[in-house]
Amino acid sequence: MGEKTINYIKLPGSGYRSAGSPFVRFALFFVIGFFVLLLRGKRVQLYLGNDHLLVLDTDGYVEEYKRFYWRDIQGFTLRRTVEGKIINLVFGAPFILFSALALSSRDNAAVFLFGIIATVCLIFLIINIVQGPTCDVELFTAVQAEKMPSLGRVKVAKKVLARLQPIINEAQGELKPEEMVPDNPAESVPFEVSQAKFSSSTPVVETYQSKVHSILSWVALADVPGTCLTVFLGQELLRAYSLLHIVALIILSIIALNKQRYTTLPVGLKRLPVVILSGVVICFITSFVLGIYFAFADQEAVATMRENTLGAPWQVVLTVISTAINGFAGLYGVVQLKKYKQSLVEVVPPPLVAADSPVNPDQSI
Amino acid sequence: MVGMLKCPKCQVGLGEFTVVGEAAAFCPHCLKEITIFAFPALYRKLPASAVQAGEAAIEGDSTCFFHPQKKAAIPCDGCGRFLCTLCDIEFSGQHLCSTCLETGVRKKSIQNLEKSRKLEARRAFLLGLIPLFVTGPIAVFLAIRAWKSPGSMVSHKRWYAPVGLTLGVIQTIFLIIFIIARFAK
């Protein structure tokens, strides 16, 4: 029963099998910092065996193996994602911001600090651009669909799949023409590369029934009257309200992102929590950076800002922008959710019958 | 049954299609373009006779060890027992009985059946690197335990255990010196 040790060849690519939305982890970065890297999950790598593909999950101390034999692999799907673009934005925006601050600052220490931060952001940005667009790849067999987190970049995924294709085709042999005939030719639709026609397939997704998006929309919309009121009611109230509102938006956005997965919610509404969360994060980062800048560059301005939350012009601009983003996003969410819920309800009104209409003779006793 | 794949994000079926190789499709739900790599297995049905009950034995025939009323079809590559078609488990080019397969899993002698491995040598090495005194004896213990263990299936670094043991011993020596010096005072 002894067999030779299998020699595995490592395939390009490496990823992490993590549970939960990447947006949640991104949001948590602002709460627990770099410790969010501990939530990445197990590292996944692919290896080429003699008669199978080995998927290796490891946390550094235990390795777990899954084998997919060539004869069992039915196919792969590759779907491009927006994560790469988001990462570009996450590093690109701070790079532009800190570069501008470094160039406009008169203090050497501030120039040095902002320059370092801008350089670090630039390095990560270049790495992300060089790696190329991101994607999701899944492997299909007759009984399962397995995600391939290590093939998270289109370049790497296509390289690996190009390597696997001839091996799998050789192992499975050529398909005979009679094997391609569907069981029900009348129901199936042959599809060409550029003209895909689909037979009606029952989606696995569920109807969206949660109220989180509705609450989020109203809370975002409430920012407009809330900010207007607290501006006149006092600085302390304004600060407390702003803080509570930001926390509420972040929490509701994260919950909404999780609730909307695999639901029939329209794409526009699915993007709503992303827009709100992005607005909050960008405004928070901008105010943080500008606060640091003024702490180095203009001490008097800092004192003024402490006394009056809307004392500086940039604070006013930032407040107006964030309130506008929340207001428009909230309004959009409220209107679109109403339309969506109306589209779900199929009401067939009963036929109107007049009080003195003749009785149907067939129904008479 | 003609091929049926799903969108990786929405899990919505991409419809039935008849193509082998690389092709493009659009998810009807999220409207995203999806590249499909289809293989012949997507379209093949299992043959009707894939699982056979085993042919009944007549007088004079060799019979299956586990089913005396069934005709033996093949000997087990592990133990040599005769097996009927029902008992024959074809795995990785070998024909095995269920007992040998179970033994192979338990004793980890069939590499293709191993589902996981502990990297104790790596743990010993990492603990040896952390100078916390107490990690020294633990590193020594793990290194000795991991000395003959197979290690990673894909990239076994044989120097983990000896280096971990060395570092663990050094830390343990320092720990002992520290304790002696402390009590000597």
Side-chain angles (χ1 to χ4, degrees), chain A residues 46 54 130 190 236 256 279 291 365:
Chain A
L46 293 183
L54 181 77
V130 165
E236 293 303 321
I365 299 170

Side-chain angles (χ1 to χ4, degrees), chain B residues 130-145:
Chain B
I130 302 171
L132 288 178
F133 288 133
V134 292
T135 50
I138 299 171
V140 169
F141 171 72
L142 286 175
I144 292 169
R145 203 164 85 158

Side-chain angles (χ1 to χ4, degrees), chain A residues 3 6 52 60-61 63 65 67 74-76 78-79 147 172 174 179 182 188-189 191 198 204 262, chain B residues 2 8-9 11 14 16-17 24 26 35 37 39 41 44 110-112 114-117 119 122-123 152:
Chain A
E3 55 183 304
I6 301 167
H52 60 271
Y61 305 109
E63 284 182 347
Y65 312 111
R67 294 170 187 83
Q74 291 188 337
F76 292 90
L78 186 151
R79 180 183 174 279
K147 285 196 187 295
Q172 294 185 4
E174 216 172 295
E179 288 175 310
S188 73
V189 179
F191 98 59
F198 302 96
V204 183
Y262 304 119
Chain B
V2 193
K9 187 181 177 192
Q11 297 302 307
L14 297 176
E16 295 181 347
F17 50 92
F26 286 89
T35 309
F37 300 82
F39 299 106
R44 286 201 177 113
I110 303 179
Q111 191 175 346
N112 269 354
E114 278 191 77
K115 289 191 292 186
S116 66
R117 277 190 187 173
L119 307 177
R122 190 168 187 269
R123 276 192 224 186
S152 169

Side-chain angles (χ1 to χ4, degrees), chain A residues 69-76 140-142 164-181, chain B residues 1-5 17-22 36-46:
Chain A
Y69 290 86
W70 304 133
R71 61 175 186 269
D72 296 330
I73 297 175
Q74 291 188 337
F76 292 90
F140 283 86
T141 65
L164 293 178
Q165 266 185 300
I167 299 172
I168 297 171
N169 282 325
E170 192 188 336
Q172 294 185 4
E174 216 172 295
L175 196 64
K176 295 170 191 167
E178 53 269 22
E179 288 175 310
M180 295 278 278
V181 176
Chain B
M1 171 80 183
V2 193
M4 186 79 165
L5 297 177
F17 50 92
T18 54
V19 66
V20 174
E22 190 172 337
I36 293 170
F37 300 82
F39 299 106
L42 186 59
Y43 306 101
R44 286 201 177 113
K45 290 183 279 190
L46 277 176

Side-chain angles (χ1 to χ4, degrees), chain A residues 78 80-85 88 128-136 151-157:
Chain A
L78 186 151
R80 293 196 180 209
T81 58
V82 295
E83 278 183 30
K85 290 177 188 167
N88 279 342
N128 188 56
I129 291 170
V130 165
Q131 285 182 331
T134 51
C135 62
D136 276 339
L151 304 180
R153 297 279 174 173
V154 173
K155 274 188 206 172
V156 170

Side-chain angles (χ1 to χ4, degrees), chain A residues 247-265:
Chain A
V247 170
L249 282 179
I250 290 173
I251 292 171
L252 285 169
S253 297
I254 292 170
I255 296 172
L257 284 170
N258 270 303
K259 287 282 184 186
Q260 72 188 19
R261 292 181 96 191
Y262 304 119
T263 64
T264 55
L265 206 61

